[in-house]
Amino acid sequence: MPFIIAGPCAAESKEQVNDLAALISSLNIKVFRAGIWKPRTRPNQFEGLGTTALSWLAEVQKTYGLEAIIEVANAKHVEEALEAGIARLWVGARTTVNPFSVQEIADALKGVDIPVLVKNPVNPDLSLWIGALERLNQAGITQLAACHRGFSGFSKIRFRNHPNWEIPLEFRRLHPEIPLFCDPSHIAGKRSLIPEVAQKALDLGYEGLMVEVHPLPEKALSDSAQQLSPNELIHLLEHLVFRNPSVDNLQVQEKLQQLRDEIDEIDRAFLELLAERMKVSRRIGSLKEENLISYYQYQRWNEILENRSFWAEMSGVDPEFIRKLFELIHLESINQQSEGL
Ligand code: PEP
Ligand code: MN
């Protein structure tokens, strides 16, 4: 069962906070999110209710036995949150990019080992994300988790933010000890796309989800298009498929091992072929050198792209994937040919 955090993008009224807290606790969810200081990209938008809303969250913790989590972006936020007894904090994507702000938050937290969730920075920079976690850890925060919320990009895609799944997966490889959450709301940007993103995160082995929900999403003061209605949240939770990180069944383990052995064999043959290809490539390189022909021949590259895409289609492999693979192989070939120049 993944760890679920749910709640509105922002706390908007005492009634909204209460209604949602009642819903969340009835669904057996333990952590209630709500933004009270909202980082907005452009000015003159709803920026959260600030201190006023803090007491509502503190109340909800008592009434429903929930743990509230809010976003903090500076030392003052941290101090106010701690004073109000807020159980958990998160660092937002626009704060993770700034080591000064993260350090300020870490310093304000010294001596208080409260759980902190760190969203990925808005730019696709894994070191910055890890660096933020390290700053907090060095300040004595031991209950850390990372939250993948997608990355800004100029090109328009169907999601609000680029997921760049390879980044959280590399994060997982480097830091398997840190629980990984996904915020499908801020990746998707649209209600209808949230189930797909949430399921993908669970399929990849994320430990938790942080989801935005609002009693009347169309009326929400921020992130209206991506907040789920209470019924949509219930529907989502009922339909998510949970996976285990590993399997106890010995027969399944054995079968998995057999298939992995097969993959190992194929990969070894594949590598040997690739090495063979590079050898031929270097021979072509010598020929080009002796005859002073340029290493890059765009007609040949076009031909390779066309043939390989066609062969890929014939073999039932995604031509786009093969294109990317051959771009790498071709670049390496040219590097090998021109080596020593
Ligand atoms: C949020 O969770 O409401 C939020 C502002 O998130 P992010 O920092 O991912 O933009
Ligand atoms: Mn939001």
Side-chain angles (χ1 to χ4, degrees):
M1 182 74 180
F3 192 119
I4 308 283
I5 301 175
C9 177
E12 296 176 358
S13 71
K14 193 168 177 178
E15 197 191 1
Q16 176 237 26
V17 167
N18 248 299
D19 289 354
L20 285 170
L23 167 82
I24 301 265
S25 73
S26 77
L27 294 174
N28 233 346
I29 295 172
K30 304 277 181 279
V31 182
F32 180 70
R33 67 151 281 155
I36 66 167
W37 296 289
K38 299 301 300 174
R40 306 314 299 272
T41 303
R42 308 281 295 265
N44 309 322
Q45 295 177 326
F46 174 64
E47 294 186 335
L49 297 176
T51 317
T52 322
L54 264 183
S55 60
W56 305 337
L57 293 177
E59 221 174 287
V60 144
Q61 294 193 122
K62 287 208 192 83
T63 315
Y64 296 97
L66 290 166
E67 288 185 22
I69 181 166
I70 65 168
E71 173 171 352
V72 289
N74 57 40
K76 188 171 165 288
H77 294 166
V78 173
E79 282 149 23
E80 286 196 37
L82 294 179
E83 201 174 300
I86 301 298
R88 293 169 181 256
L89 305 174
W90 91 76
V91 176
R94 291 167 194 78
T95 306
T96 309
V97 287
N98 185 344
F100 286 131
S101 304
V102 176
Q103 193 57 52
E104 181 183 319
I105 293 170
D107 291 342
L109 279 170
K110 276 213 174 101
V112 192
D113 194 2
I114 179 175
V116 182
L117 186 68
V118 179
K119 295 233 194 165
N120 66 253
V122 280
N123 54 329
D125 185 333
L126 179 56
S127 296
L128 212 44
W129 195 4
I130 293 174
L133 287 151
E134 284 169 348
R135 284 179 196 278
L136 290 159
N137 187 239
Q138 283 180 15
I141 308 292
T142 60
Q143 303 169 77
L144 285 165
C147 181
H148 172 217
R149 53 76 77 193
F151 304 88
S152 299
F154 186 61
S155 56
K156 285 271 161 281
I157 52 165
R158 68 195 178 103
F159 295 134
R160 175 180 178 185
N161 287 298
H162 296 249
N164 291 98
W165 293 99
E166 67 280 13
I167 297 175
L169 293 188
E170 178 64 359
F171 177 90
R172 161 62 20 113
R173 189 180 70 84
L174 295 172
H175 286 284
E177 78 288 1
I178 300 183
L180 187 56
F181 279 68
C182 178
D183 170 348
S185 309
H186 287 86
I187 292 178
K190 264 193 223 86
R191 273 183 278 292
S192 58
L193 298 176
I194 290 174
E196 164 189 343
V197 177
Q199 186 60 57
K200 177 150 180 162
L202 295 186
D203 290 348
L204 291 171
Y206 285 46
E207 280 83 8
L209 297 174
M210 168 141 119
V211 185
E212 288 186 342
V213 53
H214 191 283
L216 288 170
E218 322 73 59
K219 296 254 160 71
L221 301 179
S222 57
D223 289 350
S224 159
Q226 73 189 32
Q227 299 202 60
L228 297 179
S229 67
N231 278 336
E232 285 166 337
L233 177 67
I234 294 169
H235 189 266
L236 173 72
L237 295 177
E238 278 172 1
H239 287 83
L240 285 173
V241 178
F242 309 137
R243 290 167 188 275
N244 294 312
S246 55
V247 63
D248 292 333
N249 183 318
L250 282 180
Q251 257 173 324
V252 178
Q253 275 182 15
E254 228 166 76
K255 183 74 200 157
L256 201 58
Q257 193 51 51
Q258 270 170 19
L259 292 169
R260 284 180 172 158
D261 290 346
E262 266 182 59
I263 289 274
D264 285 350
E265 283 307 307
I266 294 172
D267 283 356
R268 179 181 281 258
F270 184 45
L271 264 162
E272 280 167 7
L273 274 177
L274 210 52
E276 207 52 48
R277 191 190 193 281
M278 289 304 160
K279 266 191 220 151
V280 178
S281 198
R282 282 193 289 272
R283 280 167 55 201
I284 294 182
S286 313
L287 206 58
K288 284 177 178 167
E289 201 175 329
E290 282 158 28
N291 294 280
L292 289 179
I293 313 171
S294 54
Y295 293 114
Y296 178 55
Q297 300 276 328
Y298 73 91
Q299 301 94 326
R300 171 64 180 153
W301 176 223
N302 254 332
E303 193 182 301
I304 290 184
L305 278 181
E306 272 173 34
N307 287 342
R308 279 32 165 197
S309 299
F310 177 69
W311 296 342
E313 234 161 292
M314 293 284 102
S315 322
V317 181
D318 179 8
E320 194 42 44
F321 160 66
I322 291 301
R323 187 192 170 92
K324 283 191 217 145
L325 182 64
F326 272 91
E327 268 167 9
L328 285 174
I329 294 177
H330 182 245
L331 192 63
E332 177 62 15
S333 266
I334 292 183
N335 287 343
Q336 293 272 332
Q337 292 185 3
S338 53
E339 211 167 66
L341 283 187

